[in-house]
């Protein structure tokens, strides 16, 4: 038998050409049909080469070995050293938890939106009753809460009417400012990041 015709890992070139790649030789010492080729290659127990699944995006189309029916993860672990179990952890020697390995993708978590405080600013010209009306109308407060917010604005110069996402806060500021201008009051409403 000539060693020049042999490929690495005990596979010969004729086996590669005939599609018998991934198989092992039963007895490399014997010749097949007197042609100087090894005995026909036999499949490894419970394993076969897999065709790569089509992949989307950037990735490797590397051939992988997959277990055939009846092969447990423990048997696969004996052959390859570690197996991904159904829980996603790698166990040396393959743990016999399940017959299947599950590949999961983690969902990207959405980031919570930034919150903004909507503030009313005190001035010497806007009547208190108008400020109470604005707080009741645009910030859905009852009369007692609206009066308390108005008094806080009057005594401290600024008062918080609510906390909202950016778009909602911007809309409320615009509505309050337009309503105040329509009624000819210099009431100021601003928003700031919380």
């Amino acid at each position: 038998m000539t060693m020049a015709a042999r490929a690495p890992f005990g596979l010969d070139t004729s086996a590669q050409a005939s599609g018998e790649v991934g198989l092992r030789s039963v007895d490399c010492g014997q010749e097949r049909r007197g042609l100087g080729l090894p005995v026909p290659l036999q499949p490894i127990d419970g394993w076969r080469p897999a065709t790569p699944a089509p992949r989307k995006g950037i990735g490797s189309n590397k051939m992988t070995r997959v277990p055939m029916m009846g092969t447990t993860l423990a048997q696969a672990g004996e052959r390859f050293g570690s197996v991904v179990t159904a829980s996603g952890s790698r166990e040396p020697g393959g743990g016999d938890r399940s017959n299947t390995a599950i590949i999961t993708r983690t969902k990207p978590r959405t980031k919570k939106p930034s919150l903004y405080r909507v503030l009313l600013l005190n001035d010497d010209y806007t009547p208190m009753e108008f400020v109470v009306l604005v707080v009741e109308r645009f910030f859905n407060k009852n009369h007692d809460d609206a009066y308390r917010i108005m008094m806080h604005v009057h005594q401290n110069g600024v008062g918080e009417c609510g906390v909202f996402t950016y778009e909602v806060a911007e809309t409320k500021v615009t509505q309050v400012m337009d309503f105040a201008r329509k009624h000819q009051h210099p009431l100021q409403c601003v928003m700031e990041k919380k």
Side-chain angles (χ1 to χ4, degrees):
M1 178 163 108
T2 61
M3 295 304 277
R6 302 271 320 227
F9 307 113
L11 295 179
D12 64 354
T13 54
S14 64
Q16 291 174 352
S18 66
E20 295 177 326
V21 177
L23 304 173
R24 67 177 175 194
S25 176
V26 175
D27 184 3
C28 294
Q30 298 177 0
E31 294 183 5
R32 181 174 46 171
R33 288 186 235 132
L35 300 174
L37 299 174
V39 172
L41 300 174
Q42 301 296 320
I44 299 171
D45 299 333
W47 289 90
R48 64 175 170 79
T51 57
R55 294 178 185 243
K56 294 180 181 177
I58 300 172
S60 167
N61 283 337
K62 193 173 170 183
M63 297 283 280
T64 58
R65 292 178 180 252
V66 295
M68 293 174 58
M69 295 298 290
T71 302
T72 65
L73 287 174
Q75 292 170 340
E78 290 171 8
R79 292 191 190 277
F80 297 103
S82 76
V83 174
V84 178
T85 64
S87 66
S89 62
R90 294 184 76 82
E91 294 184 357
D96 192 15
R97 289 188 186 180
S98 171
N99 248 7
T100 58
I102 300 171
I103 299 173
T104 60
R105 288 187 184 171
T106 56
K107 279 188 169 180
R109 293 189 179 217
T110 55
K111 187 174 127 182
K112 290 185 179 179
S114 299
L115 297 177
Y116 291 81
R117 298 170 48 195
V118 177
L119 307 172
L120 285 178
L121 304 178
N122 189 31
D123 64 77
D124 293 334
Y125 303 103
T126 305
M128 291 182 178
E129 295 81 19
F130 184 77
V131 175
V132 171
L133 174 68
V134 165
V135 174
E136 287 176 352
R137 185 171 186 172
F138 295 105
F139 299 100
N140 298 321
K141 304 288 184 182
N142 61 29
H143 186 74
D144 293 335
D145 289 340
Y147 183 81
R148 186 180 46 76
I149 292 170
M150 180 273 302
M151 286 306 292
H152 191 271
V153 170
H154 180 69
Q155 292 169 352
N156 299 321
V158 65
E160 180 180 296
C161 297
V163 179
F164 308 97
T165 60
Y166 179 80
E167 292 82 10
V168 175
E170 186 178 38
T171 302
K172 295 218 180 262
V173 167
T174 304
Q175 289 174 336
V176 169
M177 296 291 287
D178 290 345
F179 189 72
R181 297 296 163 265
K182 181 179 176 184
H183 290 89
Q184 299 176 352
H185 294 296
L187 181 65
Q188 294 294 309
C189 185
V190 295
M191 65 184 208
E192 71 176 24
K193 193 168 187 175
K194 187 170 182 181

